[in-house]
Amino acid sequence: MKNYFTEQTNFYGSTSPDKLISDFGSPLYVYNEAILRQRCREVKGLVSYPNFKVNYSIKANSNLELLKIVLDEGLCVDAMSPGEIHVLMAAGFKPEDIFYVGNNVSEEEMRFVVYRGITVSIDSVSQLRQFGKINPGGRVAVRFNPGVGAGHHEKVITAGKNTKFGVNTDYISEIKSILKEYSLKLVGINQHIGSLFMQGEPYIQGVKSLLSVAEQFEDLEFIDLGGGFGVPYRKQDGQERLELKQLGEILSTILNDWVNKYGKEVAFKIEPGRYITAECGVLLGKVYSIKENCGITYVGTDLGFNALIRPAMYDCHHDLEVYRNGSLIKGGESQTVTVVGNICESGDIVAKDRGLPKVDEGDILGIMDAGAYGYSMSSNYNNRLRPAEVLIKEDGNAVLIRRRDTFEDLMRNFL
Ligand code: LLP
């Protein structure tokens, strides 16, 4: 017997996939406020160390209304582009709530961040020198490569030997001399080992390694341990959650012991993106055709990779649910199908050789765990319109939180 996430969580509140599609159109991102708030609270309580902050990494999902909820839950944020800062300020975040973890930034971009009083993390020796030139005497953080990487795909591993990110520890003395040369104050160090771990071990290794880097600098104000906390994308088949409680206990011991040794209280931060928003989002779409091609049954939908690119980009799995006449289809006849979108590429595949209840034209499909790196990676490829976004409020009612693109959106930058 499979687990159906939307049923278990009463995801759609007082509405239903059919009603949502008929009111707001298809495809449609649907978010659940209660789940979002719950995830925020889980990470806030991760460790017992008192000076602990969670920076939500908004690249996962930067919808303005969701950001306001994250702010209301008392989280801070990390940003990685001026555009993200712009949206964060509009959502009500203050410069001191924002940590800028940039990568290969222009001088103009550095000034944009510095002039707003936002702390910047620098990702290379050369950029530290550039920072020193534009902001001598300033406060700065440096991102280190702890030598340990982890992630669900080689494209999202951001530490270890094979990555553009972070400063290798071999450069510590060079970093120190640049800090001195420009009278910079190193207020923090940070890392991010990669995206999506389901076992705490690599994260703990990364933390230990970053702490040994921290020992080589006096007077740090914060240490940012990075994100990467995974969510189970195969819940239907009973995949376990990341053991957050156990990981939190181990981290609490490590952090408390380390601070005693360091002799000064520092703030510890983490930077989760996916963990906060993945599970509060479902992408709904419609089935328009069923066809057989050389023994494969293709279920043709409007869920093209312009709307959700993760399966096409990383070959990753998202659970699917089928809805018909307002109900979730759980049992009955099943079949193995390949679910595809409406984009003009053979790689436009949502799910390959997937066992599903028998699907008909007119059915609605729900792609689970689409709240992180879903809309934020969507595009207008093939001049498709990006979906609308709807929030199921805690009272169960649905409100539109971003309208669907229009043809005017496709035309607005032409001169
Ligand atoms: N901090 C930094 C510096 C990052 O680069 C990232 C993600 C995060 C935090 C948040 O990582 P998370 O907690 O979400 O794993 N598009 C890919 C994921 C790319 C992650 C990029 N960096 C996906 O859909 O799986």
Side-chain angles (χ1 to χ4, degrees):
M1 188 57 192
K2 288 190 183 294
N3 300 313
Y4 292 95
F5 185 68
T6 63
E7 183 178 65
Q8 288 170 345
T9 55
N10 186 26
F11 191 92
Y12 300 109
S14 56
T15 177
S16 69
D18 296 60
K19 173 109 177 53
L20 287 164
I21 294 272
S22 82
D23 287 353
F24 302 104
S26 179
L28 183 70
Y29 273 99
V30 185
Y31 304 108
N32 179 294
E33 178 176 1
I35 297 174
L36 173 60
R37 288 189 182 274
Q38 188 187 337
R39 294 295 177 262
C40 290
R41 289 169 198 174
E42 285 169 19
V43 285
K44 263 185 89 180
L46 180 69
V47 294
S48 63
Y49 182 80
N51 195 349
F52 174 68
K53 286 203 178 103
V54 179
N55 283 349
Y56 166 53
S57 195
I58 79 157
K59 56 182 76 69
N61 189 320
S62 53
N63 181 290
L64 195 63
E65 295 308 312
L66 302 192
L67 291 177
K68 287 180 189 165
I69 295 171
V70 170
L71 175 65
D72 185 56
E73 286 295 328
L75 270 60
C76 295
V77 276
D78 83 56
M80 73 128 8
S81 71
E84 287 192 347
I85 289 178
H86 183 76
V87 173
L88 283 168
M89 301 277 233
F93 286 92
K94 304 261 175 311
E96 57 271 26
D97 303 329
I98 306 174
F99 182 41
Y100 195 73
V101 187
N103 181 239
N104 305 328
V105 303
S106 66
E107 184 180 322
E108 187 190 3
E109 184 169 325
M110 245 181 225
R111 289 187 194 279
F112 180 97
V113 186
V114 168
Y115 288 170
R116 280 163 182 74
I118 293 169
T119 306
V120 181
S121 156
I122 296 289
D123 198 28
S124 66
V125 170
S126 64
Q127 292 240 282
L128 185 61
R129 197 168 279 115
Q130 291 158 24
F131 181 90
K133 284 183 188 149
I134 69 158
N135 193 28
R139 296 156 51 82
V140 71
V142 171
R143 175 173 178 169
F144 282 97
N145 180 344
V148 195
H152 67 85
H153 188 280
E154 62 177 27
K155 288 181 183 162
V156 300
I157 297 175
T158 48
K161 289 208 160 59
N162 223 341
T163 174
K164 68 171 178 166
F165 293 107
V167 175
N168 276 334
T169 49
D170 310 345
Y171 292 99
I172 288 181
S173 63
E174 213 169 326
I175 293 281
K176 284 186 174 174
S177 72
I178 299 171
L179 292 172
K180 206 162 155 213
E181 187 181 342
Y182 295 98
S183 308
L184 298 172
K185 176 162 167 42
L186 186 75
V187 290
I189 62 170
N190 57 301
Q191 69 176 16
H192 175 66
I193 63 169
S195 196
L196 205 160
F197 59 83
M198 292 306 286
Q199 309 285 335
E201 196 44 41
Y203 195 75
I204 291 165
Q205 284 309 318
V207 168
K208 288 182 177 161
S209 164
L210 190 67
L211 292 177
S212 62
V213 174
E215 280 157 24
Q216 303 182 53
F217 296 98
E218 285 161 21
D219 230 15
L220 292 176
E221 291 171 15
F222 69 85
I223 298 173
D224 181 336
L225 309 172
F229 301 80
V231 300
Y233 281 93
R234 294 174 186 268
K235 292 187 202 38
Q236 276 178 1
D237 293 327
Q239 187 186 1
E240 301 285 330
R241 301 191 67 74
L242 169 66
E243 285 263 17
L244 215 51
K245 188 163 176 281
Q246 194 188 32
L247 175 59
E249 281 163 10
I250 299 171
L251 283 175
S252 299
T253 311
I254 295 174
L255 303 186
N256 284 305
D257 289 355
W258 186 84
V259 166
N260 287 336
K261 208 165 83 183
Y262 191 60
K264 180 192 169 225
E265 202 199 278
V266 295
F268 283 104
K269 303 183 186 195
I270 58 169
E271 280 172 15
R274 184 188 320 270
Y275 195 86
I276 307 280
T277 45
E279 294 168 291
C280 76
V282 167
L283 175 60
L284 296 177
K286 283 191 84 165
V287 176
Y288 289 110
S289 87
I290 314 269
K291 93 173 181 196
E292 292 279 323
N293 228 353
C294 303
I296 299 173
T297 304
Y298 288 95
V299 172
T301 71
D302 54 6
L303 295 160
F305 73 64
N306 67 301
L308 178 74
I309 202 170
R310 299 193 72 254
M313 189 152 176
Y314 313 112
D315 284 326
C316 57
H317 174 102
H318 283 259
D319 283 343
L320 299 178
E321 292 184 0
V322 182
Y323 313 100
R324 189 175 306 143
N325 303 327
S327 307
L328 170 68
I329 310 294
K330 293 194 276 191
E333 202 186 331
S334 68
Q335 59 180 163
T336 299
V337 296
T338 289
V339 180
V340 294
N342 49 2
I343 293 295
C344 210
E345 289 202 27
S346 291
D348 184 28
I349 295 175
V350 178
K352 204 170 178 183
D353 301 332
R354 182 72 60 91
L356 283 185
K358 195 165 181 319
V359 180
D360 288 334
E361 286 165 21
D363 285 352
I364 293 173
L365 290 188
I367 305 184
M368 301 298 107
D369 306 309
Y373 307 109
Y375 192 98
S376 65
M377 294 178 82
S378 66
S379 74
N380 291 123
Y381 186 43
N382 281 189
N383 276 12
R384 289 274 169 203
L385 305 178
R386 281 173 307 169
E389 296 181 291
V390 162
L391 180 66
I392 312 288
K393 306 279 291 176
E394 283 186 296
D395 64 9
N397 293 323
V399 289
L400 184 67
I401 56 170
R402 173 149 41 190
R403 62 166 176 74
R404 185 176 306 283
D405 280 350
T406 60
F407 287 162
E408 288 74 52
D409 292 320
L410 299 179
M411 298 300 291
R412 74 178 163 203
N413 293 332
F414 293 119
L415 302 175

